[in-house]
Amino acid sequence: MTVTLATALIHYQAPKHHIEARGQFETVLSHNPGHGGALVGLGLILEEQGDYPGAVDLLNKALAKDPGNVRIMAEAAWCNVLQGSFSIGQQGLEECLEKITSIDPRSRDLKAQILWRIGNCIWNADGTSYPPPITTVY
């Protein structure tokens, strides 16, 4: 129940409730260090806070408990990208893409997100960031 509430707090007006959610996840993990839902939840909070190595560590621990979970795998790969490991992250994202076989709306959304992230890897692999904003001249 605690993990469900804390997971809801991650997504509701993020990052407004992350402090409360983090406390709940940490409480669960103090009693059960291998709780997959708490590992993922805390990993997502760390990702939002920019602690990508910590997020990757927790997401990989959760992935060890649920190795077929493409969402966890994709988030861990994305954290690798965010910390500058573009080739490792891109490889992980491409592995995720191969595992998505369903065509239901949630799978299509995940596939679209992964494709966007792969494009981001390719775009930024040379160390540059996004192109300058396009200004419209009237």
Side-chain angles (χ1 to χ4, degrees):
M1 181 75 157
T2 301
V3 172
T4 303
L5 173 61
T7 301
L9 288 171
I10 291 174
H11 301 290
Y12 181 69
Q13 296 181 353
K16 181 179 179 181
H17 301 290
H18 283 186
I19 294 170
E20 182 180 352
R22 184 176 184 156
Q24 292 181 11
F25 286 133
E26 288 172 344
T27 299
V28 170
L29 290 171
S30 71
H31 298 310
N32 182 0
H35 191 284
L39 290 168
V40 170
L42 189 52
L44 293 174
I45 290 171
L46 293 179
E47 177 184 352
E48 178 75 26
Q49 294 175 343
D51 180 2
Y52 306 122
V56 168
D57 181 51
L58 290 173
L59 292 168
N60 282 335
K61 286 178 183 176
L63 195 56
K65 297 228 167 258
D66 188 2
N69 192 318
V70 179
R71 290 186 184 280
I72 298 171
M73 183 186 291
E75 215 54 51
W78 182 238
C79 286
N80 281 315
V81 171
L82 293 174
Q83 65 182 348
S85 301
F86 293 105
S87 61
I88 294 170
Q90 182 177 344
Q91 181 181 0
L93 291 168
E94 288 171 352
E95 288 174 19
C96 293
L97 199 56
E98 293 172 3
K99 294 179 183 258
I100 300 174
T101 57
S102 182
I103 58 170
D104 63 277
R106 289 187 70 186
S107 295
R108 286 186 302 191
D109 286 347
L110 180 60
K111 188 174 184 176
Q113 181 185 53
I114 291 170
L115 286 168
W116 180 87
R117 289 176 171 184
I118 290 171
N120 190 291
C121 289
I122 294 167
W123 185 273
N124 294 307
D126 64 356
T128 60
S129 59
Y130 296 105
I134 298 172
T135 56
T136 307
V137 178
Y138 292 98

